Amino acid sequence: MDLNRIIQALKGTIDPKLRIAAENELNQSYKIINFAPSLLRIIVSEHVEFPVRQAAAIYLKNMVTQYWPDREPPPGEAIFPFNIHENDRQQIRDNIVEGIIRSPDLVRYKKAEEREPLIAAMQIFLPRIQQQIMQLLPDSSHYSVLIQKQILKIFYALVQYALPLQLVNNQTMTAWMEIFRTIIDRTVPPETLQIEEDDRPELVWWKCKKWALHIVARLFERYGSPGNVTKEYFEFSEFFLKTYAVGIQQVLLKILDQYRQKEYVAPRVLQQAFNYLNQGIVHSVTWKQMKPHIQNISEDVIFSVMCYKDEDEELWQEDPYEYIRMKFDIFEDYASPTTAAQTLLYTAAKKRKESCWVLHAFSSLKFHNELNLRNAVDLAKKSLIEDKEMPVKVEAALALQSLISNQTQAKEYMKPHVRPIMQELLHIVRETENDDVTNVIQKMICEYSQEVASIAVDMTQHLAEIFGKVLQSDEYEEVEDKTVMAMGILHTIDTILTVVEDHKEVTQQLENICLRIIDLVLQKHVIDMMPLLHNYVTIDTNTLLSNPKHLEILFTMCRKVLCGDAGEDAECHAAKLLEVIILQCKGRGIDQCIPLFVQLVLERLTRGVKTSELRTMCLQVAIAALYYNPDLLLHTLERIQLPHNPGPVTVQFINQWMNDTDCFLGHHDRKMCIIGLSILLELQNRPPAVDAVVGQIVPSILFLFLGLKQVCATRQLVNREDHSKADKANIEENEEISSDEEETNVTAQAMQSNNGRGEDEEEDDDDWDEEVLEETALEGFSTPLDLDNSVDEYQFFTQALLTVQNRDAAWYQLLMAPLSEDQRRALQEVYTLAEHRRTVAEAKKKIEQQGGFTFENKGVLSAFNFGTMPTNN
């Protein structure tokens, strides 16, 4: 993703004049892989203006809220709703804590001085809403409880990140705490039991209880827990613990007792009750009240919440692999009473000095008795190898991983059993295609490198079979899911190769297996893998260049495609990857690769080529090499010997290029061709082949500029149509914010709900101009030349021509001689537009350096009057 482009769009959302265009830009980009992690990078960047970082934080929060979990399509529909790609989710998981640490306070929450307007307003409103909710408490009708719930949400928003002690003194807080206690304790109307159980959590009576519990749990955790609060809340925390904590806890113990007696309790209410009790364990006054009941709570409530239920059994029997996927969904843990129950039991276990209750959850504890540790490892190993139920095997695998990560001695206990354990892990991955177990295998390989070396060939063969099964499977709902699983397997194979790299006799056997994998990928799935390969080249270029073998592998893959029978569509993608590598690595020292890349594509041109797309794509690789280093390309052309094509390759390449300039379509391809021809005309040591086509160079460039103008105009038309659709969608989707939403920032909601084309409107793509779609088929794989601040093709060409005019008048005359009057006018228009673009760019840069706004991009290509004549050259 182009960070600068996202930054400019976010900046635009703050300016009323630019907001609509900026939101449209974001709505067209948010589904692209790496967009969400890019927002996180913007949030933590000290080089980005603070309002932009804040806008990025709001946008990311809304994306996570709406699109984090995998979702099923609505009934009767086949299209799966969008969700954040697993690669992006993993990047966010890996970096979110660091991001929070590095974020300034204002990104995390408002400072006290920034809350003064809010405090001033709430001094008026808080007493009024308190009086209103006290009047409404006796009324349990739907509308009364709905208003009560809204008041609770307002109070939660007020105290979520800071407790305004000037508003809520001890007397005021006592009144509020009695309100919360009353709501938590009151009976839900019995007629609600007629509602389906799955629908009951959405009833307003349960939601009102949930918000009251949410508030008291938040107050206890953040402001009412002595020893865990900041200085300004010391006094309040002592007062809270002494005055309110036990009374509220008594009500929550009553709720747990109702659940124990099989009365219905909404899951989120149960979850928040567990959270409050978990906080109370660490304080003697609340623990003293809870301690006599903790055994019954553990056995009759926590165990019941955590135990295997009928619906679990049904899913296990019908689809055990889906059971595994559901069980390890991290997003579900956030609001899960099961997770809250586990946390409560964990805290209680530490309080009562119990050693552990589940190996996976407690593997980090210190084992005082080595026999217990040995037994734990043995039981986990037996469950992995001998148990017949697949979910048990997966849990056992994760337990073993935790044990070897946290217990040094556990590694020794497991060492004699590495072979059967690895064999079983591979079997599980082949059967379940579970990413977590793939990670266990990688951990085992790293920990037991010597033992793995002896079974490396069998393991790699096994992984290759799993890889083939994944690629050929039709069970994946999204191509991205298949790609993530396939790349996890390849990463494991790469780990094995690293472990055994000193064992040449082993690596030779592994190389043969790896070549078969490469053949399989290239024969069937090069197009599917292209987004991943493109990301690898463009996002982590340093890693790509850190080992020459990385480039060698990519080149081998492209050569397999271009020399095989994968089809011209796949060949176009392979050639595009070569072009991306060259442009991405300009100035990064890949000179040794250029001759290999150029010879490969030119040899492909000597064989039958059916489509102009493949022909121009191969030419484009050589043009990219010209842009990378003109002398290196010309030297390469002079040395290349093509089969069945005697004679100078330079002449053949130049002639083919000139003949095909009208076949370069789309913005990127035309820009690439213009830059290449500009370099060609500016060469001082020109090969004779360039002199021979002097009359075609400038006319071809002018023809390409005309095409660029048409592309821009067509795209603007499409953008206007999308804008109209977005306005319509906004009107239709202007509904009340979900009552489960815990934030109150309306601006943040507007930014993300304004989706432009919604999920149901994606089929409208069929109405787009087919030529535009064809022209941009490969343009999604961006290069440095596609960035907003990259080389400007108008300025690049005019500067080259001016250089020639000043340096070599005779050559300049030869270039200009063939131009007609219409072409000379077109050239003048290009000069004018180049000067205009230079002026805009310089002004924009100056304003940005001064910390000001950025000019709105209104489409210079189509908005500028081409009839305006310049006053000078």
Side-chain angles (χ1 to χ4, degrees), residues 375-407:
N375 289 338
V377 172
D378 188 57
L379 287 170
K381 174 180 67 70
K382 275 190 172 182
S383 297
L384 173 70
I385 297 173
E386 299 177 9
D387 201 284
K388 303 300 181 186
E389 299 290 351
M390 190 60 73
V392 176
K393 289 177 175 289
V394 171
E395 190 64 62
L398 298 179
L400 284 174
Q401 181 188 25
S402 296
L403 285 167
I404 65 174
S405 297
N406 295 290
Q407 306 290 337

Side-chain angles (χ1 to χ4, degrees), residues 531-771:
L532 193 75
L533 296 171
H534 174 262
N535 283 348
Y536 176 55
V537 172
T538 57
I539 293 175
D540 198 0
T541 312
N542 290 336
T543 299
L544 171 70
L545 300 178
S546 65
N547 188 334
K549 266 203 167 295
H550 297 161
L551 277 175
E552 182 183 335
I553 290 171
L554 290 180
F555 173 69
T556 302
M557 293 173 66
C558 294
R559 185 176 60 193
K560 285 277 186 182
V561 175
L562 289 165
C563 296
D565 56 356
E568 292 199 358
D569 191 13
E571 291 180 281
C572 284
H573 282 75
K576 181 66 179 180
L577 183 59
L578 294 177
E579 184 211 11
V580 171
I581 293 172
I582 294 172
L583 296 178
Q584 186 71 29
C585 300
K586 178 176 167 60
R588 301 289 296 272
I590 63 163
D591 293 19
Q592 74 283 2
C593 298
I594 300 301
L596 297 172
F597 289 11
V598 172
Q599 180 157 358
L600 177 60
V601 294
L602 294 186
E603 285 181 353
R604 179 62 188 91
L605 289 175
T606 64
R607 302 190 298 275
V609 177
K610 298 177 182 178
T611 62
S612 61
E613 287 82 5
L614 178 57
R615 194 167 61 250
T616 53
M617 199 62 249
C618 288
L619 289 172
Q620 214 159 289
V621 174
I623 296 170
L626 180 67
Y627 176 66
Y628 176 91
N629 187 327
D631 292 336
L632 178 58
L633 174 71
L634 295 176
H635 181 66
T636 299
L637 293 176
E638 290 301 316
R639 295 180 58 187
I640 288 179
Q641 294 292 325
L642 297 179
H644 314 298
N645 278 269
V649 173
T650 306
V651 174
Q652 297 177 50
F653 166 65
I654 296 295
N655 289 340
Q656 186 71 61
W657 184 4
M658 291 297 106
N659 290 336
D660 284 337
T661 51
D662 60 338
C663 297
F664 285 79
L665 305 176
H667 186 278
H668 171 85
D669 294 2
R670 288 187 173 101
K671 177 176 181 176
M672 193 74 248
C673 193
I674 290 169
I675 289 175
L677 291 173
S678 300
I679 295 171
L680 209 61
L681 69 84
E682 195 181 357
L683 290 173
Q684 289 186 277
N685 299 316
R686 295 184 301 276
V690 177
D691 291 338
V693 297
V694 60
Q696 298 174 251
I697 296 177
V698 177
S700 294
I701 292 174
L702 295 175
F703 179 80
L704 290 163
F705 275 126
L706 179 62
L708 280 181
K709 178 184 177 183
Q710 293 170 343
V711 167
C712 183
T714 306
R715 286 182 176 176
Q716 283 208 317
L717 178 61
V718 172
N719 288 339
R720 283 196 294 271
E721 292 173 355
D722 283 351
H723 189 180
S724 175
K725 292 174 184 176
D727 290 341
K728 180 181 177 183
N730 290 338
I731 294 172
E732 294 174 351
E733 296 177 7
N734 186 19
E735 299 175 354
E736 181 185 358
I737 297 174
S738 168
S739 58
D740 272 337
E741 180 63 37
E742 298 182 357
E743 272 68 354
T744 59
N745 191 322
V746 177
T747 303
Q749 290 292 334
M751 284 179 64
Q752 190 59 32
S753 64
N754 190 9
N755 273 335
R757 284 189 302 132
E759 298 292 341
D760 298 334
E761 295 181 53
E762 292 196 356
E763 291 185 0
D764 291 344
D765 285 354
D766 296 338
D767 298 331
W768 287 14
D769 188 295
E770 291 184 4
E771 184 179 355

Side-chain angles (χ1 to χ4, degrees), residues 220 245-246 249-250 252-253 256 273-298 302 344-345 347-348 351-352:
F220 197 6
V246 173
Q249 183 172 273
Q250 185 65 43
L252 302 189
L253 291 174
L256 296 190
F274 286 143
N275 288 346
Y276 185 99
L277 293 174
N278 183 64
Q279 194 66 36
I281 287 176
V282 301
H283 299 291
S284 59
V285 61
T286 42
W287 172 245
K288 182 178 180 181
Q289 182 196 43
M290 194 191 316
K291 186 176 181 180
H293 309 290
I294 195 66
Q295 189 69 29
N296 289 334
I297 291 173
S298 300
I302 294 177
L344 174 61
L345 187 57
T347 307
K351 182 79 176 181
R352 302 172 66 190

